[in-house]
């Protein structure tokens, strides 16, 4: 049988740590515009970073309670 994404605890933990790190970068007001890749793409890259922030918050809110309680 195929294994579900949520059955692999190591992968869930790594993704959870990455989402916490992404939220932390937003809290300390890290300037994503200074990153080399963001400079080459301009303003469209900043909207991608904002979308990533929202995805990190969503992943954290949906997965962290289940991970902590299990």
């Amino acid at each position: 049988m195929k294994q579900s994404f949520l059955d692999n605890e190591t992968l869930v933990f790594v993704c959870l740590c990455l989402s916490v790190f992404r939220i932390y970068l937003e809290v300390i007001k890290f300037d994503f515009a200074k990153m080399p890749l963001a400079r080459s793409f301009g303003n469209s890259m900043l909207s991608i970073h904002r979308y990533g922030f929202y995805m990190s918050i969503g992943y954290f809110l949906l997965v962290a309670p289940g991970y902590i309680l299990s």
Side-chain angles (χ1 to χ4, degrees), residues 20-65:
V20 168
F21 180 67
R22 176 62 183 94
I23 294 168
Y24 171 74
L25 287 177
E26 192 69 30
V27 168
I28 65 167
K29 299 192 187 306
F30 181 77
D31 189 12
F32 290 101
K34 292 182 180 177
M35 295 178 70
L37 192 61
R39 273 189 258 143
S40 64
F41 283 106
N43 289 339
S44 64
M45 192 58 130
L46 294 178
S47 65
I48 292 172
H49 284 297
R50 180 63 54 187
Y51 179 73
F53 173 64
Y54 295 143
M55 292 295 291
S56 296
I57 289 176
Y59 185 81
F60 182 78
L61 291 176
L62 291 174
V63 175

